[in-house]
């Protein structure tokens, strides 16, 4: 990724826009943060991937998402969807409307959000998943949507419906920080923007954030604001061998 420096076009959650842009840049990619419809063609020519975050999306912006997504599909560039609170009816309407017109390569969400795509009932409160992570639900969501699923939680699950990988760092302060999931979605846009296998790229991004969070927890286990900055700092220093750890488990 650092050799190719992919450009990631982000229709980001406005709450976390700066943090997501920084994370992508620190990892070695290049972010574009835009919501201008007149710039879609120009930015899609530059970008290698697109990330849609529905956290602060308005109904009036859905045509922009669809136009961008369809252009990305035509150019064979992956679309990553972060379906914030999709199990809330209005948010579900947004996601469904977009996915009816756009082929999504990867969906990143918590257990409740991924459960929605699988048609499973998973308890949730707001954006936080309360139900236990389930690999079967994640696999079902992948098979129903045709997308790679990255299910964030105490143990992250990555699956394409057949292959499964687990990232088991359990960084509780990532859950405390609003927007840590948005950061992961941005990092997924960065790694999927390379010419690597998409599933392996998804595992790499998830492992990178997990590893960075672990490094930060060694310094700021009880200081959540300093912790997140330290996590971003760790992303800047990450090397290939840092991803080859016992916390990342692959299954065929």
């Amino acid at each position: 990724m650092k050799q190719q420096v992919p450009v990631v076009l982000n229709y980001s959650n406005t709450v976390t826009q700066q943090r997501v842009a920084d994370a992508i840049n620190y990892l070695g990619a290049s972010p574009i943060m835009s919501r201008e419809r007149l710039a879609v063609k120009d930015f899609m020519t530059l970008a290698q991937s697109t990330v849609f975050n529905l956290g602060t999306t308005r109904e009036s912006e859905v045509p922009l998402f669809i136009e961008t997504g369809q252009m990305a599909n035509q150019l064979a560039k992956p679309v990553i969807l972060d379906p914030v609170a999709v199990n809330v009816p209005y948010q579900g309407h947004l996601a469904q409307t977009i996915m009816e017109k756009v082929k999504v390569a990867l969906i990143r969400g918590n257990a409740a959000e991924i459960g929605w795509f699988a048609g499973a009932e998973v308890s949730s409160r707001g954006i936080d998943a309360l139900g236990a992570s389930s690999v079967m639900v994640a696999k079902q969501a992948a098979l129903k949507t045709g997308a790679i699923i990255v299910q964030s939680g105490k143990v992250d699950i990555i699956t394409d419906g057949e292959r499964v990988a687990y990232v088991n760092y359990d960084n509780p302060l990532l859950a405390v920080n609003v927007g840590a999931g948005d950061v992961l979605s941005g990092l997924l846009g960065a790694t999927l923007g390379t010419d690597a296998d998409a599933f392996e790229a998804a595992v790499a991004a998830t492992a990178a954030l997990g590893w960075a969070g672990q490094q930060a927890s060694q310094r700021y286990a009880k200081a959540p604001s300093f912790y997140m900055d330290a996590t971003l700092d760790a992303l800047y220093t990450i090397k290939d061998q840092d991803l080859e750890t016992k916390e990342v488990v692959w299954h065929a």
Side-chain angles (χ1 to χ4, degrees):
M1 187 190 67
K2 290 185 177 181
Q3 292 174 345
Q4 296 178 12
V5 192
V7 175
V8 185
L9 175 59
N10 291 266
Y11 292 168
S12 59
N13 186 327
T14 57
V15 176
T16 58
Q17 191 172 48
Q18 182 68 55
R19 183 170 281 177
V20 171
D22 286 341
I24 292 170
N25 203 42
Y26 295 163
L27 195 63
S30 181
I32 295 176
M33 320 302 282
S34 175
R35 266 182 152 85
E36 176 51 64
R37 191 168 188 177
L38 294 177
V40 169
K41 185 175 181 179
D42 292 337
F43 285 149
M44 281 308 307
T45 301
L46 294 172
Q48 278 71 55
S49 66
T50 301
V51 180
F52 295 153
N53 185 302
L54 303 186
T56 53
T57 301
R58 296 171 294 180
E59 182 79 24
S60 60
E61 293 175 313
V62 171
L64 169 64
F65 281 50
I66 292 173
E67 181 179 348
T68 304
Q70 289 179 338
M71 190 173 297
N73 291 165
Q74 292 168 6
L75 296 171
K77 297 179 179 182
V79 174
I80 292 86
L81 178 65
D82 188 331
V84 179
V86 70
N87 41 320
V88 174
Y90 174 71
Q91 294 296 105
H93 158 72
L94 292 178
Q96 185 173 3
T97 301
I98 292 168
M99 292 189 69
E100 285 175 353
K101 302 290 182 65
V102 175
K103 173 64 177 174
V104 172
L106 183 146
I107 299 168
R108 200 287 316 162
N110 61 34
E113 291 160 349
I114 298 306
W116 184 88
F117 289 98
E121 290 293 331
V122 181
S123 177
S124 69
R125 179 183 62 222
I127 64 170
D128 302 313
L130 302 182
S133 295
S134 165
V135 67
M136 295 306 297
V137 170
K139 288 177 100 173
Q140 186 177 359
L143 293 172
K144 288 188 70 171
T145 62
I148 295 168
I149 297 295
V150 176
Q151 181 172 297
S152 304
K154 189 173 182 179
V155 177
D156 300 317
I157 299 170
I158 304 95
T159 181
D160 59 5
E162 295 182 3
R163 293 176 290 179
V164 179
Y166 303 90
V167 176
N168 186 18
Y169 278 102
D170 185 20
N171 292 312
L173 284 188
L174 281 179
V176 170
N177 273 275
V178 173
D182 299 357
V183 167
L184 178 53
S185 296
L187 299 181
L188 288 160
T191 57
L192 264 72
T194 69
D195 57 13
D197 174 81
F199 181 77
E200 294 180 4
V203 176
T206 308
L209 184 60
W211 178 87
Q214 185 185 65
Q215 305 312 299
S217 67
Q218 295 172 8
R219 298 174 58 195
Y220 299 112
K222 296 184 179 180
S225 62
F226 288 102
Y227 168 86
M228 201 61 199
D229 285 342
T231 297
L232 298 184
D233 288 341
L235 286 174
Y236 183 71
T237 68
I238 198 166
K239 299 178 177 62
D240 287 347
Q241 56 265 34
D242 295 325
L243 303 183
E244 299 170 2
T245 66
K246 62 181 176 59
E247 285 82 8
V248 181
V249 180
W250 294 76
H251 291 274

